[in-house]
Every structure is written in C-alpha cells, then in structure tokens.
Amino acid sequence: AQSVSQHNHHVILSEAASLELGCNYSYGGTVNLFWYVQYPGQHLQLLLKYFSGDPLVKGIKGFEAEFIKSKFSFNLRKPSVQWSDTAEYFCAVNARQAGTALIFGKGTTLSVSS
Amino acid sequence: NAGVTQTPKFQVLKTGQSMTLQCAQDMNHNSMYWYRQDPGMGLRLIYYSASEGTTDKGEVPNGYNVSRLNKREFSLRLESAAPSQTSVYFCASSELGGGSSYNSPLHFGNGTRLTVT
C-alpha cells in the first residue's frame, strides 16, 4: 500500500520569503501526485497535480512542484509567499491501478506574517 | 452548480448514539469517498466507492458503514458513536474511478464537524 510523508508540520515565513514543502511517498509502481490546500475554515482545493510528462508542474497562485522519481519526492515550491498563502497544505498520492483511492499526508501548516 | 453537498454541517452525539452523514454530488462523478480529518493526522480514508454498486474499505473503516445509494449519493453511518470518532468528516467525489483513477482530482464537500461526548 502507498503512504505519504510530509516532513514539515508547521512552517512560519515572512511575506516574500521562498517556500519549499517536502513530500515523499512510498510505492513501487506508477503513481499520480497531488497537492491540495485548505484555507482556514474551508474545504480542500486542488493546487496542482502530476500524472506524467514534464516533472515540473505549475499550479494555481504561483505554486509549482517537482516530481523526482529517483527520490520518490514531490516537493511544493513558491518563490515568494503572501499572507494569503496561510493555510494547510496536503500532499497526496494514488497508485495508478484499478480500485485505488487517494492517500494523504498529515499536512503542513504554513503561517505567513505580513 | 452545487458540487459536493454534505449534511449536516455540525452534529453532537452522545456515546452509543447512531447517525448517518449524507453526501450528494451533482457532477455525475463515478467515484465517491469519505475521509476524516484530525489535527496532526491529515486526512484518512474511511471508505470509498470507485463506482456505483461498489464500496471498499480505506485506512480507518472500523466503526463505520457506508451505502452508495445511487450514483449521486454516498452515505456514512456510525452505528454506535464513540468519542474517538470526534472529527471533521469530508465527502469527496472524482470523475473517474477504478482503472482510470489517474485522471481524477477530488472535489470536496464543506465537511461535517462531529463531536461525540
């Protein structure tokens, strides 16, 4: 079964700082990878996804993530964070085979101070 | 377009009581899911239904049952609530399921905050 690890539980940054949130997964086969964001009091929304092709994927709001297959990683990055990026971020993976569902990491809380 | 609708939004139960959380989607999605979200634990999959007529256990199915009533609706039942089931429950749906699940980001409902005393 697949699993997902997010290394940072809580990250605190000032506005304009750069962001990188780590995500590693464990699964030997082909996977689909996602980052979701949950703003305070809201439900989860898709930030970006990787299925195949260019390992550097761009999502909404200036976020991007890089899939490094050899490291089983899918780290999320943003060059310059804003106060409005304060949220909880979840990495998720599902094995590309019949009948599987999306498995989430435990989440990283990002707090951005203005 | 409502998307994924969950009811109720809030619920307080006493230990041993039963209740059903309702979920409906109007996007004609094949797959539906129930997750619970707890602080420091992220989202954990309780049950899912890859397509109408099928249900499968997720990571934490104990204490729950589900029913895929039709393509639109997927309910979660707690037969005898326990304090450990205090959580926020999210229903989600995706367009494709089974072997085509790779093309399907999840669409989430707004959640049900359940407290069991």
Side-chain angles (χ1 to χ4, degrees):
Chain A
Q2 66 267 32
S3 64
V4 181
S5 297
Q6 291 182 241
H7 317 298
N8 316 102
H9 297 295
H10 192 184
V11 173
I12 302 172
L13 295 173
S14 299
E15 274 194 316
S18 64
L19 170 71
E20 180 161 2
L21 301 183
C23 173
N24 285 88
Y25 67 92
S26 70
Y27 183 71
T30 305
V31 294
N32 308 305
L33 297 157
F34 306 81
W35 276 97
Y36 283 83
V37 60
Q38 185 177 31
Y39 297 104
Q42 296 186 25
H43 60 83
L44 278 79
Q45 304 169 45
L46 182 68
L47 260 185
L48 48 80
K49 61 186 184 292
Y50 172 80
F51 296 143
S52 63
D54 188 344
L56 183 63
V57 293
K58 296 190 183 299
I60 61 172
K61 303 185 180 186
F63 286 91
E64 66 179 31
E66 185 176 11
F67 171 51
I68 302 179
K69 188 175 182 179
S70 61
K71 295 185 177 181
F72 297 87
S73 69
F74 190 55
N75 292 354
L76 180 71
R77 300 195 292 250
K78 185 171 183 178
S80 177
V81 295
Q82 300 172 315
W83 177 81
S84 58
D85 293 325
T86 294
E88 192 160 14
Y89 293 82
F90 294 93
C91 181
V93 61
N94 81 292
R96 201 178 299 175
Q97 64 183 53
T100 61
L102 204 58
I103 301 300
F104 286 82
K106 293 184 178 181
T108 298
T109 301
L110 172 65
S111 299
V112 180
S113 59
S114 56
Chain B
N1 193 345
V4 179
T5 302
Q6 289 182 236
T7 55
K9 293 184 179 179
F10 301 94
Q11 183 72 50
V12 179
L13 293 177
K14 294 184 178 180
T15 298
Q17 287 185 315
S18 63
M19 78 160 296
T20 300
L21 280 64
Q22 307 288 351
C23 176
Q25 51 91 9
D26 61 3
M27 296 171 284
N28 201 35
H29 285 173
N30 286 319
S31 300
M32 298 186 74
Y33 311 80
W34 276 105
Y35 288 88
R36 59 177 289 174
Q37 184 178 24
D38 303 288
M41 301 296 290
L43 275 81
R44 292 180 291 171
L45 182 66
I46 304 171
Y47 272 92
Y48 67 104
S49 171
S51 61
E52 188 178 357
T54 69
T55 61
D56 286 284
K57 294 179 180 179
E59 303 167 81
V60 289
N62 292 343
Y64 304 95
N65 285 301
V66 290
S67 295
R68 184 74 183 267
L69 304 171
N70 47 54
K71 191 171 185 179
R72 290 187 64 249
E73 298 172 285
F74 188 41
S75 62
L76 178 72
R77 183 160 178 84
L78 288 69
E79 290 290 352
S80 179
S84 61
Q85 293 177 305
T86 294
S87 186
V88 180
Y89 292 84
F90 286 99
C91 178
S93 69
S94 63
E95 182 174 349
L96 299 172
S100 300
S101 59
Y102 62 88
N103 251 343
S104 45
L106 298 183
H107 297 258
F108 284 87
N110 287 328
T112 296
R113 187 173 295 276
L114 174 67
T115 303
V116 183
T117 61

